[in-house]
Amino acid sequence: MSETNTPQSPQPFPGAQSAPVAQQFQGPQTVEPFLGAQAAQPVHPALQPVPLFPVPQPGRVPMQPSYAQPLQPAQPMGPAQPVASAHTPPGPQTLQYRFDGPQDAPVLVIGPSLGTTWHMWDRQIPELSQHWRVFRFDLPGHGGAPAHPATAVGELSDRLLATLDSLGVQRFGYAGCSIGGAIGADLALRHPHRVAALALVAASPRFGSADEFRQRGVIVRTNGLEPMARSAPEHWFTPGFAAAQAAIVEWAVQMVRTTDPGCYIAACEALAAFDIRSELGRIGVPTLVLVGAEDRITGPAEARTLVAGIPDARLALVPGASHLAPVEQPAAVTDLLLTHFSTSWQDTLAAIPVPGSGPALSAPVLPLAEIAPATAAPEAAAAGRRDPYDPGMRVRREVLGDAHVDQVMAGSDDFTGEFQELVTRYAWGETWTREGLDRRARSCVTLTALVTSGHLEGFAPHVRAALRNGLTPAEIKEVLLQTAVYCGIPAAGAAFAIAQSVIQEETTPRP
């Protein structure tokens, strides 16, 4: 039985050929092969095999996982099952969703990747829905969902919980891909008593750098989603799969093209701000970390960072898959999810502490190469007044970008260090954090002031900041035309030359 809360369900993707099953790993060093796979390395005698077959539940027929039989070519799924009921999401604080599977079964929530719809999981549904009531959702502005942008992963998690609460779902398993995985990790950190088991697919404790996601927002704001749509196949699939599966490639391109640009930009901002590297040790639910062996976006290195930090985590490396492993290797991913959620589901709340209870966990072990050196902490501010340094540094990095701030801070020494502290505290911590003007307005004021004062040596980073704060190239042009009238043609002319170069660099899609 299927059920959806949107009158017109997004287009399901075409059929594809199934692929070899994956290799299953326990912990960061284990190399125990998953059933049906070829062992890549000898298994250490001290390592115990991962349970391969599900634990039957009372009153239910035991599962017959597909990896127990030779894999056959998969058939196209065709249209989604008939809709039992349809209604519009009640408001901006909930999400568009769909149910598949028995109404009395435990609920398994499945989250999509950025730029995709719930149909990226179509090939997993026939088997998963035999054992769970599968709840799929769309991100805001994706798959025809209402365009209510969310600029933080926590905001998306809150909307998901509000939707589940409205349906009476309190406890559930969760699997999510990319930003969908970030939502799952956030739920496990902030609402561990709600999550029975967790699967993070193509996920990371920090997705790339904040700068690259904010620049992606600049490109979409300037050029629309077409550059993202054209580049999606090479980022999501291996070259061989993309060449052989033209229908699926076209489906992927169309998914991105039909996404709301404002919601896509907001999701980029959410990923730019997402960083749970220091919190991985607090994820207490059993976790499967699943990654395509050829994923160049969130690859095996990021997956191993998750496994090293999460106390009860296992790594599954899927051969021949890139970022959208559920689409490219559907049989392997389905088998891994079946095994994980059948053997790791926690049916009681005793093992999961309510937030705020229980002893603090030790800090996770993180690869040193992925963490920037910590900067020296400034002296504590006077008692009774909040030190504006930390919020100032946060805003400074969000506006100017990590690369620029890192370069400036690296160049400071005993002579200039106190000046940089002053700038961070009072320019960024006291002024840019005020609520009277939004960042777009502050960028307009800053650009004008720099032209007026003739201090164009700082103009380029603030043009870049203006783009990331939401100004379009056309709006920056209007600011400079206005300054030409009131501040002088020569100054505005020099500013135009600098701005032209920065805008061209920032708005040109990169391979």
Side-chain angles (χ1 to χ4, degrees), residues 102-455:
Q103 292 189 1
D104 61 343
V107 173
L108 176 60
V109 178
I110 300 184
S113 176
L114 175 61
T116 72
T117 72
W118 64 44
H119 284 297
M120 68 164 284
W121 295 99
D122 274 356
R123 293 291 294 280
Q124 282 69 48
I125 298 305
E127 290 196 56
L128 295 182
S129 62
Q130 293 180 38
H131 313 285
W132 294 281
R133 192 180 188 204
V134 181
F135 175 100
R136 287 182 283 173
F137 65 91
D138 278 328
L139 298 170
H142 291 60
H148 302 299
T151 57
V153 169
E155 186 177 352
L156 292 169
S157 302
D158 291 343
R159 294 188 191 183
L160 174 58
L161 283 185
T163 308
L164 294 170
D165 288 345
S166 71
L167 298 167
V169 176
Q170 290 301 309
R171 191 158 172 79
F172 49 86
Y174 185 94
C177 182
S178 192
I179 193 172
I183 294 170
D186 182 70
L187 288 171
L189 286 168
R190 295 196 295 128
H191 305 278
H193 53 294
R194 303 288 295 270
V195 183
L198 177 66
L200 304 177
V201 181
S204 176
R206 186 186 185 190
F207 291 82
S209 70
D211 289 353
E212 63 186 87
F213 277 102
R214 292 193 172 106
Q215 194 208 10
R216 189 187 297 188
V218 171
I219 291 172
V220 172
R221 191 177 292 112
T222 305
N223 303 286
L225 279 164
E226 186 60 25
M228 301 298 113
R230 289 199 308 266
S231 64
E234 66 186 78
H235 292 148
W236 289 353
F237 308 122
T238 59
F241 181 88
Q245 301 289 349
I248 292 181
V249 168
E250 179 58 24
W251 162 82
V253 170
Q254 290 303 324
M255 265 197 309
V256 180
R257 281 179 177 155
T258 56
T259 299
D260 177 77
C263 289
Y264 188 97
I265 293 169
C268 287
E269 185 63 33
L271 288 173
F274 183 77
D275 186 354
I276 58 168
R277 289 174 294 177
S278 64
E279 302 178 70
L280 292 177
R282 294 198 298 108
I283 296 179
V285 297
T287 303
L288 172 68
V289 179
L290 191 156
V291 63
E294 300 181 49
D295 190 343
R296 294 180 298 167
I297 300 176
T298 50
E302 288 81 0
R304 290 189 176 96
T305 301
L306 288 168
V307 173
I310 299 173
D312 186 8
R314 295 185 177 190
L315 173 63
L317 190 68
V318 182
S322 186
H323 195 58
L324 289 193
V327 175
E328 191 165 4
Q329 302 283 17
V333 171
T334 301
D335 293 340
L336 288 163
L337 295 178
L338 280 169
T339 301
H340 174 65
F341 286 109
S342 298
T343 59
S344 301
W345 195 285
Q346 295 182 335
D347 289 324
T348 66
L349 302 181
I352 304 295
V354 175
S357 66
L361 297 174
S362 60
V365 178
L366 298 174
L368 297 179
E370 297 187 14
I371 304 176
T375 56
E379 296 181 3
R385 184 172 182 273
R386 186 195 67 165
D387 186 355
Y389 184 90
D390 286 341
M393 180 58 75
R394 177 181 57 81
V395 173
R396 189 177 186 181
R397 288 185 175 278
E398 289 175 356
V399 172
L400 294 178
D402 289 334
H404 175 80
V405 176
D406 288 342
Q407 182 180 11
V408 170
M409 300 306 291
S412 65
D413 53 22
D414 291 342
F415 184 71
T416 61
E418 292 182 7
F419 172 73
Q420 290 301 327
E421 283 191 21
L422 182 146
V423 170
T424 300
R425 276 194 172 90
Y426 299 107
W428 296 101
E430 295 279 8
T431 303
W432 275 84
T433 56
R434 292 176 64 86
E435 298 180 356
L437 294 175
D438 63 18
R439 291 186 185 177
R440 284 170 46 89
R442 291 190 186 280
S443 280
C444 290
V445 173
T446 302
L447 293 178
T448 303
L450 289 172
V451 175
T452 304
S453 63
H455 293 306

Side-chain angles (χ1 to χ4, degrees), residues 444 447-448 451 459 473-497 499:
C444 290
L447 293 178
T448 303
V451 175
F459 194 69
E475 289 171 328
I476 293 174
K477 177 179 69 175
E478 293 301 322
V479 170
L480 296 183
L481 287 173
Q482 192 81 358
T483 61
V485 173
Y486 290 95
C487 305
I489 298 294
F496 261 108

